[in-house]
Amino acid sequence: MSPKNNIKINDNIAYKEINQICNNGISLCSIAIFMIIFVGLVSILSSVQLLCKIPIHFPFAIIVTLVILAILTYKKVFKLQESIISILCCLFFFWISSYIYDFTWDGQAYHQLSILMFSEGWNPYWDAEEINTYYDDIWVYGYPKAFWIFSTAIYEITHNILIGKSYNLILTVSTFLLCLETFKIYLQSHKIFILSISLLTTFNPVVICQLFTYYIDSTLYLLMIDMLMISFLWVKRKDKFFLFVLSVIIILMCNTKFTGAVYAVVISLTLLAIFYYYCFPLLKRIFNTLLLSGIIGIFVIGYNPYITNFIRHGNIGWPIMGDNKIDIVTPQGPKDLVSENRIKKLFISNNSFAHNDNGSTPVLKFPGQIGKFEYLVYSAPDVRIGGFGPLYNIIFIYTMIMMCLILFNKSIKRKEKILIIGLVVSILSNPECWWARYIPQMYFLSIITIIISYKATDLGFIRNYHRYICIICIAILTINLTFVSAGYFRKLKSNISLHSHNIERLKYIYNESGRDLYVTFHKLDSRRLSVFEANEIKILDSKKNGLPNGYDIIYKDSITEIYKYNKGVHK
């Protein structure tokens, strides 16, 4: 029997085993898909609701989403236990999110500002732009809005803006469960290896650092992984429902970030190439799914911003593209790096000491070298240099070497080479590939390289050691992730403690005054929801109420020094 036939038989055995598990018990894959559909349909149907000029404060989208999921459960697409577990998981993530404040600048400056604007009745599909009504509102007008709309729909039900960022937790767990199911089929390896690969794939350093924020770079990464996993699972199961899930994911990708549309195209072309060589009978069906989803994602759900930007500003990528574009990268980029070519940017960023200072020059380091307190840099959600962790430069070099061996090795399957090429193209398609948050798939490229190397039978001069090297790489990535997590959660704990102290102080001021507080906001107007409304403290905006120089509290821009109390004013 040929090795090829043997592999096919093993694949079928693994698939039958998983089918048996799914038929006799709870499917992790079904739980993951349930949660993805929940997030996706709430966002998509809320967009449709706005297109139909139905105010978003009416919970039409959430009601319809729950009805659809109930019908799918009744039709046995999901088992009752799976639906209950999925709903409980979502409620649990809502609960966790409700207690954790988003301390990030972007999260407060425009992500949460979008929810404030939606809650005031703004409709992006029909209403005119009134730029500079709020500080940083230009980004709200110009950027894709899928997850802002989801967050607003949740906010209108709960009246707690902190819960809106729960999509990151929901998609993180969903992606992990999908990875477990997919790698179980394709790796046919030891359970610990499958679990390790699934955890490392999901808990990318970018995901860790943005887990409890409104940032959507990690969200886009998780959707990219979901897109690949669902496509591969569909090949095995031949269930049309997977194509529906794939459509939801692509529509979300197109409306997460501008780069989401680009990455969706690159990953779609990669999948089509793989299907052409390995699953040709299914090629037409997946092509139609990808094309239709892209059209809906850009021209219907994405009518704002893509079409409205083109009509109003002459470029679909306004305000960061076009004749009057705003350069958001050069002022924040490392000195002497922004002007370099993409490959050099990528190399220097991933082989330098981690830092997050605007304009500073990257300092190269030896593989495995860790700077004193370097792990503390990962308290930020958008580390500029060395964003994948202090030990990732070892894995980066390994990835570059192994990619060359894999791409020029005749024993490696063509589909694996196509996947690697597709990921490389998606990385280099971004001109700012030095910034980890913009190319989180770089980390996945390293993991895919490890997986292919682990499964390979002939890798030239390392043929006798490649599995040991792969295990060492997994150990390094695990230690690396520990450093990143330590830096992030240390700062998160500190911020939560500080915020709790400030809230207690604010409540004391409120109770002492015995009336609504006059508050002056500088740039972060969203705090009226995240701080005051969330804690049931009634306020009046000093400027909007004819008191430009009078206030009880000035809300500063600093994260660590939030309130300035003007005792005795307006008693």
Side-chain angles (χ1 to χ4, degrees), residues 313-325:
H313 305 282
N315 194 296
I316 62 172
W318 178 85
I320 58 173
M321 289 183 274
D323 295 334
N324 299 314
K325 69 178 181 180

Side-chain angles (χ1 to χ4, degrees), residues 253-279:
M253 284 182 68
C254 292
N255 291 280
T256 302
K257 300 186 66 171
F258 287 133
T259 49
V262 177
Y263 293 161
V265 170
V266 174
I267 299 300
S268 294
L269 292 174
T270 302
L271 289 172
L272 290 175
I274 293 173
F275 274 71
Y276 177 81
Y277 287 108
Y278 288 90
C279 306

Side-chain angles (χ1 to χ4, degrees), residues 209 353-357 371-387 389-390 483-484 486-488 490-491:
C209 292
F353 288 101
H355 74 75
N356 203 36
D357 300 325
K372 188 177 182 181
F373 305 121
E374 187 177 0
Y375 79 99
L376 295 177
V377 176
Y378 298 97
S379 60
D382 53 358
V383 178
R384 285 158 174 76
I385 296 298
F483 277 113
V484 173
Y488 174 72
R490 179 181 181 273
K491 184 64 173 179

Side-chain angles (χ1 to χ4, degrees), residues 15 108 121 141 247 253 331 493 540 552 568:
Y15 177 50
Q108 298 178 94
Y141 288 119
S247 298
M253 284 182 68
K493 181 181 178 182
L540 293 171
D552 291 309

